[in-house]
Amino acid sequence: VASHSLLRVEGLDAWYGESHVLHGLGFEVRDGEVVTLLGRNGAGKTTTLRAIIGILRQREGSIQFAGHEIIRASSDAIARLGIGYCPEERGIFASLSVRENLLLPPVIRPGGLSLDQIFALFPNLRERVDSQGTKLSGGEQQMLAIARILRTGARLLLLDEPTEGLAPVIIKQIGRTIHELKRQGFTIVLVEQNFRFAAQLADRHYIVEQGRVVDMIENAVLDRNIDKLHAYLGV
Ligand code: ATP
């Protein structure tokens, strides 16, 4: 298992100023897997993604990606190794068109998808290519945010609550797209509150509580563990 893991996080601590938020958090993701981080609000899921991508600089422990130790690396260097981050707030440039939003981030590694490949995955975006960011629906913005990191050549995608605030029909569409990305060989870490959505996509679920991973549940046995999961999530 170890030799195939694309991302391995061990003993990760992270701070916002004086506030110590992650406490020895660990998990791993094998090449080609979809793994979720599940947990209550404030458990530390977003912070984990921000520490991995290096936006949060106050971090200690070990983060290995594709054989590189990246705990001391800059966010630029981490992105160039092939990790893409899609934040919960999506970060679409409102005054730019869909095409401009897609073309703005540089292609940093070989293997980035072409606009045609992106439009094959997101047909809605092809129709909206000249629309301004402000004119897009929440679902279209989310698709654009994911599409944008595919162009850079990232092969590990960190997606923070892509279903947040979206209608069920759009959530289904995003689910199909994530499934297709997995089929194409992308590796995905998904932060989710919506575990029904997560259950349709993920190979494994890591439960995050108070800055630690406290449990791991294989998706294949999720049904048998649903009471336990409810207790963790407080639903
Ligand atoms: P949510 O779904 O609410 O985003 P989460 O599991 O992603 O939950 P985090 O956002 O990682 O949780 O937050 C973990 C802890 O860190 C919380 O106690 C939160 O209040 C704190 N925190 C988050 N961002 C900051 C910040 N910029 N400065 C200080 N504390 C922060």
Side-chain angles (χ1 to χ4, degrees), residues 66-208:
H68 302 265
E69 175 57 66
I70 61 171
I71 191 80
R72 299 262 162 267
S74 68
S75 53
D76 268 14
I78 292 168
R80 268 184 268 116
L81 286 172
I83 305 183
Y85 171 55
C86 194
E88 194 175 352
E89 60 280 7
R90 295 164 190 157
I92 300 307
F93 293 96
S95 62
L96 301 184
S97 71
V98 166
R99 189 198 311 277
E100 288 164 339
N101 266 285
L102 285 172
L103 294 179
L104 196 65
V107 176
I108 48 181
R109 298 179 72 242
L113 302 191
S114 68
L115 286 190
D116 271 347
Q117 288 171 313
I118 285 174
F119 292 144
L121 277 164
F122 302 96
N124 305 35
L125 293 184
R126 190 196 298 274
E127 287 164 31
R128 306 286 265 142
V129 69
D130 294 314
S131 303
Q132 252 185 302
T134 40
K135 303 274 163 58
L136 302 180
S137 68
E140 288 166 339
Q141 287 184 22
Q142 182 60 60
M143 290 175 199
L144 178 53
I146 297 174
R148 201 165 49 176
I149 57 174
L150 298 176
R151 231 192 119 252
T152 63
R155 63 174 169 139
L156 172 66
L157 313 178
L158 309 179
L159 308 181
D160 199 349
E161 295 202 40
T163 66
E164 168 87 36
L166 301 180
V169 56
I170 310 296
I171 292 176
K172 277 214 182 88
Q173 237 176 319
I174 289 181
R176 279 196 294 271
T177 307
I178 292 174
H179 201 265
E180 176 59 21
L181 291 173
K182 177 182 162 82
R183 205 191 59 75
Q184 292 189 15
F186 288 94
T187 304
I188 299 172
V189 176
L190 187 65
V191 165
E192 262 305 331
Q193 304 270 359
N194 181 344
F195 74 86
R196 291 180 201 289
F197 176 79
Q200 288 169 8
L201 295 166
D203 297 291
R204 266 145 0 98
H205 309 278
Y206 287 99
I207 313 296
V208 181

Side-chain angles (χ1 to χ4, degrees), residues 16 21 40-47 50 88 161 193:
Y16 292 103
V21 172
R40 299 184 192 207
N41 285 333
K45 306 177 298 292
T46 297
T47 303
R50 302 182 76 209
E88 194 175 352
E161 295 202 40
Q193 304 270 359

